[in-house]
Amino acid sequence: MSRYILRRVLLAIPVAIGATFLIFLVVFALPGDPIKALAGGQHVLSPSVEQALRARYHLDDSLPLQYLKYMGGLLRGDLGEDFNGQSVSAIIADSWPATAKLGVTAFVIEIVVGIPIGIWAGLRKGNPVDYLVLGATILAFAVPIFVIGYTTQILFGINLGWFPVAGIDDGWPTSYLLPAIVLGILGLATTARLMRTSLVETLSADFIRTAVAKGLPRRRVIVNHALRNSLIPVVTYLAIDLGGLLGGAVIIEGIFNIPGLGFQIFEGIKAQNGPVVVGISTLLVLIFLAANLLVDVIYAVLDPRIRYD
Amino acid sequence: MTKPGLRLAIGATAAALLLASCGGGAGGSNSPSAGATDGSGSPGGSFTVASSEPDHLTPGNSWSFYLESLMFTGPLTIDAQTGETRPGAAESVTSSDQKVWTIKLKPGQKFSNGEPVTADTFVSAWNATALGSNAWAQNSNFALFEGYADLNPAQGEPKTKSLSGVKVIDENTIEVTLTKAFGLFPYVIASYAFAPLPKAAFDDPKAFDSAPIGNGPYQIQGKHEPNKPITLVRNKSFQGTAGKADSITFKPYTSYGTAYNDLLAGNTDIVYPVPADRLGDAETRLKGRTAVATIPNLNYFAFPSWDKRFHDVRIRQAFSMAIDRDALTKSILKGSGEPARSIAPSSAVGATENACSACAYDPAKAKQLLDEAGGWTGPLKLYATQYETNDQILQAVANQLRTNLGIKDISFETPPYAQLDEKVKGKKIDGPFLYYWGAYFPHVGNFLQPLLTKDGIANDTGYTNAEFEKLVNQADSSPIEQGLPLYAQAEKLAWQDMPIAPLYYGRFTAAWTKNVTNVPVGVNGLGDLGQVSVVKK
């Protein structure tokens, strides 16, 4: 098992380097002058100030040189400064807790609500319950997330007053509940559908028939045999989704005014603030790699065959 | 002189609504835009304002107008209603030739830490801002000062660190020499960008940037941490008109739509600007607790002078006359824009209404002019920056040009500002582009000079006209009153050439809760937040 994990970790290193280079390339090769974007198109910077800022952020250098300087800093644990002179590490440290709380809350909602719904529908295939779940999940897929966000904000926040409208002044969980539900709704629907389909498939597999034939009680067949096997695709999805949730939710964080990573990356892209975008994206790549590693390990635990590949 | 009347609202309906609410509001004998201190609500209390995250707090390096204007006071300020200058930290700013200016400070002023405000504290702040290698945001404000070029060389390090045109005469007197006579100089220094800095700003600039010490009516409580609210409390050392509320909190929001929703729930007191798509909602829900700011700006189509197809003035006039500005603002912009038929809106001092005759909608005349100029062949491309309603505006304009001028092949593009500007500056753009100019100060001179003179910082069309240039120069070098007719004459001349086609003046709406009154909405947007009173519960 430890050799298996080690192999996965080693594989992650070239992926991390390749991914950061690509991100760097894309962000810094974007057309348009980031110093111009810094002034927001509404203000005029004098030429001497533009020149001083370009020199300060190495924008005069060639792209490979910029990348080497950036990676040099990165290896020393220095993510650099953004174009407003704020340290990128500080920006990440500031916005990460909010994103983590929001992401984990949404993730818990996905699991606690999504999996039981999926099992419920899967066990009652073809029943009205199954169709109800199908309809509800299709609705969740079909309505754009910002519509759900604003609607629930107006309905539950302003009109009914059940939840805070925006911001994180009330702390966890009060402030995070409504945004987490909205954020988790898509993942919840996917989890439920995946769980249902996978369970239905597994239930018609040969080994289930064998288990039933050898006289095991239905409960034991479902819990020990069917569920364990049908969880594999669901777990894969959930682990990757966790990576996504922890990477910040641009739209939800914007609607509910949560000062997290999603907001920072959005502002960073808008202002062509390269250092922020590269810094946060690199962090996201690492989170995704960790999530993938987690999937691989859980696979191995759930399915012994994989371990011995 | 055209006295700048205050435009209350865009449409008659909106104006009526606002006026009705002014008269009958409960406990609010205040008019939202009169800014009168009518005493409804004695001093005290606190309120919150929705804001965006500030970049810096050192005034010379910041774009955060409202925060800075409360923490710092420049030599002069701008009256939110009349748009004229009035004393700030200085009691007078005078000149006999508009080139050498004498600034007399009010004696005995102090920073919030007790340090005296002297001529030296102003001059050291100005030198720091004007020094190009410091890369401070407000640097370009000093371009007219003598010695600016030495501090901002085209290449290499500056040889000197102080402006040769700034002299300290005595503790309370500063003499400023400009590179050329400029009658509007009092307007230039009516800004927080010209505020003084105490010693602490130079001892530890980083610490100062998060906890500035200023000479304004309010001071920061504690220090600024990224993405956390900033609370300002009354500055006890301040000797001017004291702020009414005990404290003002600026709450950072990621979007103004969210801020507006939070206002509806009563969690934030003032939101400016209300997003365009929520204006209708604000009108019905807030019942008069909204007002339209008259912040002077212009959205205009610029014609590229390097594109031969636009060389004939009749083509440019035809374009302008084929656009129905009233329909455009009514259907797309709703409350967030007003048709423009001059270079500057009436809130700018010296603006002439309907100065541009080819800005009137006349499709028949437009077609005739186009035909006389030989018609239009081939495709036409329109450009704008990627911004809220710009796509819809281009679409509507394209439709009107199709219908009224018979141009069939019209396409458009809305790239981010930085990309579009690269194309414009490189003279590579091949069609009219929709640009925005927000005036530095509310005066018609700050539209004509930057947009249409040869060296204007916002002259992106490459327009030049020697006679126009001469008139603007003459107006610039005259005292404010004498300059006004010259500016009007210059504008008239420019419209004969039609280098740009004014489209609309952007209008921004403020909204507030029942917790506050006296929100002084005017030429400066939210104007002086120190005048807002908190309603006692």
Side-chain angles (χ1 to χ4, degrees), chain B residues 116-466:
Chain B
V117 173
T118 61
D120 285 310
T121 59
F122 277 91
V123 173
S124 55
W126 295 357
N127 283 333
T129 313
L131 186 65
S133 50
N134 277 346
W136 283 13
Q138 300 289 346
N139 175 288
S140 63
N141 278 307
F142 291 84
L144 267 180
F145 281 56
E146 208 171 75
Y148 176 83
D150 298 330
L151 270 65
N152 296 273
Q155 245 154 26
E157 287 293 304
K159 285 182 197 69
T160 167
K161 291 195 166 179
S162 42
L163 289 161
S164 60
V166 178
K167 252 193 272 170
V168 175
I169 304 295
D170 63 45
E171 194 173 297
N172 290 313
T173 315
I174 307 167
E175 191 188 85
V176 174
T177 309
L178 305 177
T179 50
K180 59 171 194 174
F182 192 51
L184 301 179
F185 180 69
Y187 274 104
V188 175
I189 56 168
S191 156
Y192 68 82
F194 290 82
L197 287 176
K199 286 198 186 64
F202 302 99
D203 295 341
D204 187 350
K206 224 171 172 130
F208 186 85
D209 202 43
S210 59
I213 297 156
N215 66 331
Y218 284 84
Q219 66 185 92
I220 193 165
Q221 187 178 49
K223 63 174 207 153
H224 168 235
E225 286 167 61
N227 292 312
K228 301 258 161 64
I230 296 176
T231 298
L232 304 182
V233 293
R234 222 187 268 124
N235 172 9
K236 297 207 172 62
S237 315
F238 184 67
Q239 288 165 354
T241 317
K244 284 197 172 163
D246 290 336
S247 72
I248 306 174
T249 299
F250 286 79
K251 229 169 155 179
Y253 282 91
T254 50
S255 90
Y256 281 96
T258 302
Y260 174 73
N261 280 345
D262 225 12
L263 178 133
L264 292 181
N267 299 329
T268 196
D269 291 313
I270 301 177
V271 171
Y272 171 86
V274 176
D277 57 345
R278 307 302 293 278
L279 286 175
D281 185 73
E283 231 164 66
T284 50
R285 277 193 202 240
L286 300 176
K287 303 200 174 55
R289 280 180 282 118
T290 58
V292 181
T294 49
I295 194 158
N297 63 70
L298 177 70
N299 291 276
Y300 58 96
F301 270 114
F303 299 106
S305 65
W306 51 89
D307 188 331
K308 282 201 180 70
R309 299 173 302 167
F310 294 99
H311 274 183
D312 193 323
V313 65
R314 288 171 297 185
I315 300 268
R316 304 195 290 270
Q317 286 167 339
F319 265 83
S320 179
M321 295 177 100
I323 301 170
D324 186 350
R325 291 167 177 76
D326 290 306
L328 200 76
T329 46
K330 219 169 172 180
S331 62
I332 296 170
L333 296 163
K334 303 204 169 78
S336 64
E338 184 186 344
R341 294 187 188 92
S342 299
I343 191 118
S346 57
S347 58
V349 173
T352 316
E353 274 188 67
N354 299 321
C356 161
S357 53
C359 291
Y361 180 52
D362 189 344
K365 182 88 190 290
K367 184 83 179 85
Q368 189 197 333
L369 282 167
L370 186 76
D371 291 342
E372 280 171 21
W376 184 271
T377 43
L380 168 68
K381 206 158 178 189
L382 304 173
Y383 295 87
T385 53
Q386 192 180 62
Y387 179 75
E388 286 175 4
T389 43
N390 276 357
D391 273 301
Q392 289 160 277
I393 290 174
L394 287 195
Q395 197 141 24
V397 168
N399 280 338
Q400 291 177 350
L401 295 179
R402 259 183 223 120
T403 323
N404 297 334
L405 297 180
I407 302 173
K408 284 197 187 67
D409 185 5
I410 304 180
S411 59
F412 51 84
E413 207 176 289
T414 50
Y417 170 75
Q419 282 175 42
L420 185 64
D421 200 54
E422 215 165 62
K423 265 188 168 171
V424 169
K425 294 272 150 59
K427 300 194 188 305
K428 284 193 195 97
I429 212 149
D430 55 352
F433 47 100
L434 182 60
Y435 255 24
Y436 170 91
W437 170 248
Y440 281 37
F441 49 83
H443 194 286
V444 69
N446 198 235
F447 284 86
L448 291 168
Q449 196 276 335
L451 283 169
L452 301 179
T453 61
K454 192 166 78 255
D455 302 320
I457 44 172
N459 182 354
D460 297 310
T461 56
Y463 171 67
T464 51
N465 176 337

Side-chain angles (χ1 to χ4, degrees), chain A residues 234-266:
Chain A
V234 179
V235 166
T236 317
Y237 170 75
L238 281 174
I240 290 171
D241 195 42
L242 180 64
L245 290 174
L246 292 183
V250 173
I251 297 169
I252 299 297
E253 286 184 4
I255 294 175
F256 291 98
N257 201 36
I258 291 170
L261 289 179
F263 165 65
Q264 294 293 356
I265 206 165
F266 176 65

Side-chain angles (χ1 to χ4, degrees), chain B residues 98-110:
Chain B
Q98 334 312 322
K99 189 169 189 291
V100 182
W101 292 83
T102 308
I103 301 169
K104 278 231 175 292
L105 302 174
K106 293 174 183 165
Q109 301 180 85
K110 286 189 170 63

Side-chain angles (χ1 to χ4, degrees), chain A residues 92-120:
Chain A
I92 292 176
D94 265 329
S95 41
W96 166 250
T99 291
K101 283 180 203 161
L102 178 67
V104 170
T105 315
F107 188 63
V108 169
I109 292 171
E110 278 181 19
I111 294 177
V112 172
V113 182
I115 292 185
I117 289 181
I119 296 173
W120 190 37

